[in-house]
Structure formats: C-alpha cells, structure tokens
Amino acid sequence: MMHAVQRSFSERAPPLACCTSDACEPVCDCNTVIKAECVSLSYGGRPALQDVDLSFQRHAVTAIIGPSGCGKSSFLATLNRLTDMVPGCEVDGKIAFCGRDIRDPSLDVRILRTRVGMIFQRANPFPLSIRKNIEMPLRECGVSDRVEREQRVHDVLVEVGLWHEVRDRLDKPALGLSGGQQQRLCIARALALRPEVLLMDEPCSALDPISSGVVEDLILNLRGRVTIAIVTHNLAQARRVGDHLAVFWVVDGVGRLIESGRAADVFASPSHPTTAQYLSGARG
Amino acid sequence: MADLIAVLPRRDLVLKAAVHAAALVVALAFAALLWDVIGQGLSRLSWSFLTTEPRSSGRLGGIAPIIISTVLLLLVAITVATPLAIGTAVLLVDFVRTGSLGARIVSMSLDILAGVPSIVFGLFGNAFFAIYLGLGFSILSGGLTLACMALPIMIRSTEIGLRAVPDDWRRGTAALGMTKTSALRHILLPAAAPAIIAGLMLGIGRAAAETAALVFTSGYVDRMPGSLFDSGRSIAVHIYDLTMNVAGGEKSAYAAALVLVGLLVIINAIALALSHHVLRKRITQ
Amino acid sequence: MYRSKVDGYVGTGLAMVGGVCTLLVLTIALFLLRESWSVVQGVGLRRFLTDSAWNPTEKRFGLAPMLLASVATAIGAIVIAAPLGIGSAIYSRFYAGRQAARIQRAIVTLMAGIPSVVFGLWGLVALVPLINKIMPPGTSLLAAMLVLALMILPTVALTADAALATVPMPLQQGAAALGLSREAMIAHVLVPAARSGIVAGILLSLGRALGETMAVLMVAGNVVQVPTSVFEPVRTLTANVALEMAYAVGDHRASLFVSGLALTLIVAALAVASWRLSEARSHG
C-alpha cells in the first residue's frame, strides 16, 4: 500500500534533475515548495521530534526558532535527507518537495541535495582553492561546460558580495578566508547549484556581529529568489529576516512544533502561551 | 601530624628521583647504542662500501647488491600493500558503519594480523608464497610476506588519518549532492594524505627493519638480483648473517647497521616532507 | 536507501579489498594448520609438552624448555622495561620542560624505529662481553632479557605516554586544587587514572617480546635447556624456528609450524586482552 502511494508520487512529477545549463527550469512553480506532514524522528529508538506539520512557501524566508534540543536542526536535516548519514536516525512521516516524496527510494538523494542546499552552523569550506570550492560540486553534478562553470563562479560570488573581496585570489586556499567570508563562500557554493531551497542551520551563530550582519543582509537579498528555511537562536534575527515563523518546543521530552504562521502575526499575537512567554523573554 | 609532614616529602623525593633516573637510563641506553653503531659503523663506511659487491662473506667489500635487494623487497611490499591498505581503511571509515558485522570482522582480522609474530609470517610466507605458489626463495616471496606484515599498521594509520578529517566536510559534500566517491577523491583522501603517507612510511619502516620473516622467503643470496624471481638478501638479514655466521664480520655488520638506520631515518624524513608538500599543493590548486 | 551507482561499484570493490585482509588471516591459519597437521595427527599435541628432549629427527618433540625460555625472557624483559618506560613517560609528561620533553619523546620514537637485528648486534658485541666478565659464557637468559627490554621499552613508554595524555584535565586540576604535591598527584591520581591504558601497553609489549626472534636469537646462546640461573644460555621458541627451519623436513618441519601456531595463539590472546582493556577504557 505504502509502495503504491510512493509510486503515484513519482509518476505525477517528472524526476528531479540537476541544473546543468543556464536554461534549466525551476523544479516547480507551486506555492508550497516543501510540505512536511506528520514528521517524526528518533535517534536509536529514542524519539527526538514528533508529528511536525510545516510547509515552506515559495521564495519566502521561514525562521525556525526554539530552545536548544527541541529538534529544530534535526528537522532541517530531514528536509534534504542529511539524516541518512546519522547512524540510528529514523525518520517517519511524509515530506514532499515540489510534489515529490523525498523519501521515495527511487529518488536520487544527491540530486535532491543539489536542489535543496544546506548551510551549516560552522562554515565548512573544503581545503581547496576558493574557485575549486564552487567549481568542483558543479562539475560533480554534471555542469561539464567550463565557460558555464566560470560564469556561475563569478555570478554567485557577486551575489554573496565576495567577488570584489576575492577576485584577485580565487586560486588561494579557501581556508585562508575570514569566518564570515568562509560562510558566504559556503552560501555561494550552494547557490551555484541553483537550488530551489536553502536550508540554513544557525548560519550566523559562529560569526562575529559584523559578519553576522553581512550574512543576514545576504539572506534578505535572497528572499524572493530562493526559498529559505533558517534555524536561529536569535529572536531578533528571526524577526528581521522571517516572513514566516515556526516555534519548536520540548513537550514531555520530545521536540514538537507548537506554533507556526506569518511572522508578523505570531510576534504580534502568539496563540500558544509558551510561545508568548518565549517571545517575551520569560522562557527559553 | 608532624610525622606525616616529615614522611611525605621523602616518599615524594624517591618517586621524583626514580622518574628522573628512569628517563636518564632510557636516554643513556639509547646514546650508548647509537654511539656504538655510529662509531664502529663509520670506520668501515665509505662510498665503495655502498657501491661494491661483498667479498669474503661480507668481511670485505661492500653491500651494493644487498641495498638493491632491500629496495626491491620494499618496492614489492609497498606496491602490493598500499592499495590494499588505503582501500580497506576507506571501507572501514566511509563505507561500513562502525560496529556492523563487516566492520567487526575486518577489524578483528587486522588485530589478529598485527599480533602475529614476524617469524610466523616467515613460516607462512615460506609455506604459501615460496612453496605453494611456487615462487621459491625470491624477492617476490619476501616482498609479499613483508606486505602481509606491514598491512595492519598501514591500514590502522590510514584509518586514523581518515577519521581525523572533520565530519563537517563529509556533511558538506553530501549537502552539495556529491557522491562518497568524489568526496573521497577530491576532499577526504587529499586532506588525509599526510597521515596516509606517514602510515605507509611506518609500514615500510617496519618492513625494512624485518629479518625473521625474510630468512625463509627471500633467502640469503648476496649476489646482485637479476629479477624479482631471484633470491635477495636484505640489509637486516645481512647484518644478522655477518654477526652470527661470519667470524670477524662485526665491523661490516655495524657499517650495514648504520646504513639501515640511516635508510630508516631518510624514509621518515621523506614521508614528512612529502606529506607537507602534498597538503600544500592540494590546498592551493 | 538510494545509493549512487558509482558509490555502489566502489563500495563493492572496497568490500572485496577489505575481504583480502580477512582472507589473509584465514589463509595464514589454514597454512599453519596444514603444515603442522601431519605431526599433530601422527604424534599428538601432548608430547610437545611431555617429551623430555627436543630431537625431532629421533622423534622427541619436547618444546617445554623452549616455551619456558620464551616466557622467561619476555617476562624478564617486561619487568625491566615497564618501570623504565613508565618512568620515562611520566618524566616527559609531568617533569620535563617543553624542550626536554620533546627530546625524551624523540629518543623513544627513534628507539622504536631501530631494527631488532641492530639491537641483537649491539647486544652481542657490547653487552654479552660484559656479562661474560661476570659469569661466562655471556650469551644467556640475562642478555636476552636486557636486549628485549631495550627493544620493547619504546612501546611501553609510548603507550604509557598516550595513556597519561588521556587523563582528563579536570582531574588534574581537581587534584592540584586539593593541594596535593606533584608526586602525590602522579602516584594517587594520574597513574591510577591511566592504569588500564598502561596495562594494555604492557600486554602489547609482552606480545611483542614473545614474538621477537632475531635480537633474542643473537644473544641468548640457543642451548635447549631449562635454565637454573639467568646466566645460562637458553633457546626460545622463535629462535628455534629461525635456527632449524632452513634444514627441517617432514615431522621436524611440521613441529616447527606447531611452535609457530602455539606462539601465534599466545600472542593473539595477549593482543585480545590488551584490546579489551583499551576498549573498556574508552567505554567506561
């Protein structure tokens, strides 16, 4: 039965593909880019997250907030199936990306990840040159045209505001960049693959205030072009960048989504008492 | 109370003195050994010692064919062991989950291999490579036996090197939709290269120092080997033979020992330099 | 779970490579058994321990004196090497200044790299004449113990050093905060905390001492007998194999393989014990 459902999913939508040429189509133009239904997650049999229903609107920024240990980062990792890499991690429920079940066994998880990019708390540029950091994943996903790759390297570096800072040292080690520059390089690297969605797991929490501000401005710039899900500890940041807000909380030892909606609405009149206390600084 | 104060420092003093004495004894023993090897070896060591054939069972002449045999033995060993070592380490770190049945079986095999005494490798090499496979007493038999011996230490240090590569990079490559294979090729193996090379060198060092495993596999012949199927005497075997079987061979034995120790030092230095070089090149390219 | 095709092929290839190691262990076991089988079947294992003499060509297979000699040299070597090695490790970790610690570690590391034949050569030329002056003939159990001790010293020192390095900092700070002297800290807190690691290192060294051939062969005198003092020559199991393998045939050759098999089992048991200890440490 389960199998039949999954099959009908993949038959409806064309298979995912990497964006290998300049003229590639967006994966979808539907309003709800990612729809998570009844998602639960456990580590080695211990439930960490239960029954999360959350949708991500096209080209909007959804801020996910909550205290540490409430499962918000784990939830983010289910959306590009990075949870596959964690031994003992079990995910349950349904997650659709542009109408495709991302847990369909016939789906190529690598292609999914090129279309659902991810930025981590700690910037993780590879021990390669700045240029290669962006170029290599492109080549791996099938962008075989050199000119096209060069063009994309240029475009994304401009997009994240790094171009004039690094144009003279594209072939120098990426690890020589400052923390904030490294994080922007990682964002550029993900953007080069032309993702539909960018998952950001506390992208600013390891940065100094100034770099953090630069990255935040970048997120605001990307709004309207990329769908963004950002996990943050910083309520003020969530207020500044979030179009939508999702509040996670630990209820009876398990992470749950306790409230979600338009950011302005939730901040103005939270419906859940815990949210109200959290947003006012009384809890969390 | 007064007693306690008087007693404690004395006990402390004894411990302190013992620790210093131990360290001193270790340093002195090493110094004595090194002094003898260098002092006695240098008097016999010369350019012609390195470039001529041994005469009078090694009392006179040089060790040229023995150096060549040693190099060939090590080349065979490293050619065979390196791909196996890197492959197995990659398997253990990135392709099987720690604690799974496959990982446990391979790990246990390695622990057993690491514990097998070298003389037993000699017995095995003799029975399997020399007789069963018909390779005879040859550099090939000896080199293959050395490869078996060096395998566990090479795998373990490669494994440690790969595990030391930050998981950030593994997640990073996965999040960019790269295969494990290309992650390994472009990021993980280059990043682990210094440790991998150091591990391979450790294995070579162990192989170069080996005697017992070679006596019944590559044999005693001290002539210049014509091919890998010829018997060849390694430096270590030469030292053993000169010391035990050749009256008046000590001077030559010390000179050969100096060459062997020098060779090991050079191998390590190359490893170090190479690993720095590889790392730097990879980052800037 | 979907896996890329390339990863699938590579994984299969690597599994085969990994299998080679397991296969190698099995092949070694198989050949040791195969080569020793004729004598195990024809003579029986019991007689290896009960026969009064070692004279395989006349069907006397008493390995007991050599087994005893092996154990005696190895234990003697450990008794000498353990205090020296642990002392050296304590010195370089807790007493020496930066420079002195570096030198001490360099000495130990260099010593670990010296080939066993070189130890044997030095033992025979430098050490044996000294012992000869005290009590002829010089080549003796004592000489073997001393040379072996020197050989395994680096292993003891390096493993002890590594074990001491894993003692958690808070434990040291806690001990210091109680006003303990450095010596009391070492004796009552640090060494006990690192005990299982140190013992694991000693077991490992014991295995290495039992398996060592050349250094022992060169200085032990190689007379098959049960020694009555440390000044008498002995022959170890390993030396016996090295000495007789060249001309042994038939049951004689097979009985050498039996001693190899016995040696492997002892050393493997020690390795397993050492491994268990360090496992217990990392889990507990």
Side-chain angles (χ1 to χ4, degrees):
Chain A
M1 191 57 208
M2 190 65 196
H3 206 73
V5 172
Q6 281 170 346
R7 181 159 302 160
S8 69
F9 245 118
S10 46
E11 272 165 11
R12 207 159 359 123
L16 277 179
C18 286
C19 174
T20 52
S21 76
D22 212 24
C24 67
E25 298 279 319
V27 182
C28 65
D29 47 13
C30 37
N31 239 335
T32 302
V33 177
I34 291 184
K35 191 174 167 68
E37 287 174 276
C38 232
V39 170
S40 299
L41 176 144
S42 62
Y43 292 109
R46 257 196 28 232
L49 197 64
Q50 214 156 44
D51 294 338
V52 176
D53 290 294
L54 188 59
S55 295
F56 295 85
Q57 302 308 310
R58 184 173 163 79
H59 295 180
V61 177
T62 305
I64 300 174
I65 59 172
S68 359
C70 66
K72 50 194 193 311
S73 293
S74 301
F75 175 68
L76 207 63
T78 60
L79 302 182
N80 69 346
R81 279 189 37 195
L82 217 57
T83 38
D84 288 6
M85 290 179 72
V86 184
C89 179
E90 293 283 339
V91 181
D92 218 14
K94 209 165 84 181
I95 302 169
F97 169 54
C98 293
R100 297 161 181 84
D101 181 1
I102 68 160
R103 298 175 60 221
D104 182 342
S106 70
L107 174 131
D108 187 336
V109 66
R110 292 182 307 126
I111 298 176
L112 170 73
R113 286 170 184 165
T114 65
R115 306 316 297 260
V116 182
M118 188 165 202
I119 306 301
F120 298 89
Q121 180 173 1
R122 241 180 342 175
N124 56 354
F126 302 133
L128 305 167
S129 69
I130 295 168
R131 187 200 306 277
K132 274 217 165 161
N133 257 283
I134 302 172
E135 219 189 350
M136 199 253 303
L138 280 178
R139 214 170 33 206
E140 287 301 318
C141 88
V143 184
S144 48
D145 179 13
R146 227 188 93 115
V147 181
E148 163 89 18
R149 288 202 305 263
E150 296 268 306
Q151 187 61 43
R152 283 207 208 178
V153 169
H154 170 265
D155 290 352
V156 290
L157 284 175
V158 170
E159 194 158 13
V160 301
L162 266 180
W163 178 253
H164 60 278
E165 292 169 49
V166 303
R167 58 193 298 179
D168 304 326
R169 47 174 178 146
L170 282 178
D171 293 308
K172 295 272 158 38
L175 294 173
L177 296 172
S178 74
Q181 289 174 322
Q182 288 191 3
Q183 191 62 296
R184 279 186 287 153
L185 175 63
C186 290
I187 296 172
R189 194 170 66 180
L191 287 176
L193 295 165
R194 304 274 159 88
E196 201 67 36
V197 181
L198 211 50
L199 309 171
M200 306 180 106
D201 189 356
E202 303 193 34
C204 299
S205 66
L207 302 178
D208 62 89
I210 293 176
S211 310
S212 170
V214 174
V215 171
E216 211 176 288
D217 289 345
L218 175 58
I219 295 170
L220 289 172
N221 266 328
L222 291 171
R223 171 158 59 183
R225 280 179 292 160
V226 185
T227 309
I228 293 177
I230 176 171
V231 163
T232 178
H233 258 355
N234 183 335
L235 286 179
Q237 185 178 59
R239 194 192 288 268
R240 285 191 299 268
V241 302
D243 300 306
H244 299 270
L245 198 65
V247 185
F248 281 61
W249 202 266
V250 184
V251 183
D252 301 327
V254 184
R256 283 175 187 277
L257 175 70
I258 56 168
E259 180 154 9
S260 66
R262 287 193 39 218
D265 297 347
V266 178
F267 272 111
S269 53
S271 58
H272 197 289
T274 312
T275 315
Q277 285 178 317
Y278 181 55
L279 295 180
S280 69
R283 287 184 73 172
Chain B
M1 199 58 205
D3 280 356
L4 259 181
I5 290 168
V7 168
L8 270 181
R10 197 189 301 154
R11 216 176 52 186
D12 285 3
L13 262 179
V14 170
L15 180 64
K16 189 173 177 178
V19 165
H20 281 86
L24 193 67
V25 168
V26 172
L28 283 180
F30 179 69
L33 177 74
L34 210 60
W35 180 258
D36 265 14
V37 171
I38 293 177
Q40 307 234 33
L42 271 184
S43 66
R44 179 84 174 75
L45 192 61
S46 65
W47 182 245
S48 72
F49 183 75
L50 297 176
T51 53
T52 58
E53 304 233 341
R55 283 178 291 124
S56 174
S57 303
R59 287 184 201 90
L60 303 171
I63 55 168
I66 289 145
I67 292 179
I68 300 295
S69 296
T70 308
V71 170
L72 289 177
L73 278 166
L74 294 182
L75 278 179
V76 171
I78 198 166
T79 312
V80 175
T82 303
L84 287 175
I86 294 179
T88 308
V90 167
L91 176 78
L92 285 175
V93 177
D94 278 302
F95 279 85
V96 292
R97 294 232 152 119
T98 330
S100 68
L101 186 67
R104 287 219 306 268
I105 290 178
V106 175
S107 278
M108 203 177 68
S109 309
L110 289 179
D111 287 337
I112 295 173
L113 267 190
V116 172
S118 60
I119 186 85
V120 175
F121 275 106
L123 287 174
F124 166 72
N126 178 271
F128 185 66
F129 295 122
I131 295 172
Y132 186 77
L133 294 185
L135 298 173
F137 281 76
S138 65
I139 287 175
L140 210 51
S141 294
L144 289 170
T145 309
L146 289 182
C148 300
M149 265 193 72
L151 206 50
I153 189 170
M154 286 162 83
I155 292 172
R156 284 303 183 203
S157 37
T158 306
E159 193 189 339
I160 289 169
L162 274 174
R163 286 198 199 281
V165 174
D167 268 348
D168 283 4
W169 290 341
R170 287 196 176 82
R171 283 189 305 162
T173 51
L176 291 166
M178 288 165 62
T179 57
K180 273 183 191 179
T181 308
S182 49
L184 279 162
R185 208 182 88 193
H186 294 293
I187 312 290
L188 306 178
L189 284 174
I196 293 174
I197 293 177
L200 298 184
M201 287 295 152
L202 222 56
I204 298 180
R206 175 155 298 180
E210 186 47 43
T211 318
L214 288 178
V215 177
F216 328 121
T217 52
S218 74
Y220 266 99
V221 174
D222 62 359
R223 281 189 306 274
M224 189 65 85
S227 79
L228 294 181
F229 293 98
D230 279 356
S231 166
R233 182 191 283 200
S234 79
I235 303 179
V237 174
H238 189 55
I239 297 169
Y240 165 69
D241 192 56
L242 283 175
T243 318
M244 295 298 285
N245 304 333
V246 179
E250 284 92 356
K251 274 271 183 283
S252 298
Y254 266 118
L258 188 57
V259 172
L260 181 54
V261 172
L263 183 75
L264 291 172
V265 170
I266 291 172
I267 287 175
N268 279 320
I270 291 177
L272 223 63
L274 210 63
S275 58
H276 285 312
H277 177 72
V278 168
L279 187 66
R280 197 165 307 133
K281 202 171 135 210
R282 271 299 176 162
I283 287 176
T284 50
Q285 254 180 5
Chain C
M1 184 172 105
Y2 185 94
R3 256 172 86 157
S4 93
K5 259 196 194 135
V6 186
D7 281 352
Y9 295 142
V10 172
T12 314
L14 291 176
M16 278 151 74
V17 169
V20 169
C21 299
T22 310
L23 206 63
L24 183 59
V25 171
L26 294 178
T27 315
I28 291 178
L30 186 78
F31 268 81
L32 289 180
L33 280 172
R34 193 180 103 125
E35 298 290 319
S36 51
W37 193 242
S38 65
V39 76
V40 171
Q41 222 178 18
V43 179
L45 283 177
R46 172 182 276 271
R47 281 187 48 201
F48 284 98
L49 290 176
T50 53
D51 274 12
S52 58
W54 170 255
N55 204 341
T57 44
E58 283 159 30
K59 304 282 167 220
R60 296 170 75 185
F61 296 100
L63 285 174
M66 292 184 272
L67 189 61
L68 191 74
S70 278
V71 172
T73 44
I75 288 178
I78 276 291
V79 168
I80 300 166
L84 288 175
I86 296 169
S88 163
I90 292 176
Y91 170 78
S92 52
R93 193 146 286 280
F94 302 117
Y95 284 99
R98 274 172 65 94
Q99 204 59 34
R102 196 177 299 161
I103 293 173
Q104 187 74 13
R105 288 209 181 92
I107 287 176
V108 172
T109 314
L110 278 172
M111 231 167 131
I114 290 184
S116 62
V117 270
V118 176
F119 280 104
L121 165 67
W122 183 73
L124 188 64
V125 177
L127 203 62
V128 165
L130 286 179
I131 297 174
N132 183 42
K133 272 186 202 153
I134 306 168
M135 179 83 89
T139 49
S140 58
L141 179 58
L142 180 64
M145 284 174 177
L146 286 171
V147 168
L148 259 188
L150 214 53
M151 269 198 63
I152 58 172
L153 232 173
T155 312
V156 179
L158 290 173
T159 49
D161 199 6
L164 287 171
T166 62
V167 176
M169 208 54 190
L171 206 60
Q172 292 190 42
Q173 287 163 343
L178 291 172
L180 293 183
S181 69
R182 177 154 48 177
E183 285 71 24
M185 239 163 78
I186 290 168
H188 301 302
V189 180
L190 302 173
V191 170
R195 192 181 47 208
S196 59
I198 295 175
V199 172
I202 288 178
L203 289 181
L204 191 73
S205 313
L206 192 63
R208 203 158 279 180
L210 275 171
E212 176 51 37
T213 310
M214 285 311 172
V216 178
L217 165 64
M218 289 160 88
V219 299
N222 303 318
V223 178
V224 184
Q225 62 174 353
V226 177
T228 52
S229 89
V230 292
F231 294 102
E232 284 184 15
V234 293
R235 182 188 289 195
T236 62
L237 274 182
T238 50
N240 186 49
V241 174
L243 287 166
E244 301 190 350
M245 183 63 187
Y247 57 86
V249 286
D251 276 358
H252 185 188
R253 180 180 150 94
S255 55
L256 294 182
F257 275 85
V258 169
S259 53
L261 204 56
L263 213 56
T264 308
L265 290 179
I266 298 172
V267 173
L270 283 170
V272 168
S274 156
W275 183 69
R276 282 275 160 81
L277 265 177
S278 32
E279 279 290 288
R281 187 171 45 132
S282 60
H283 288 303

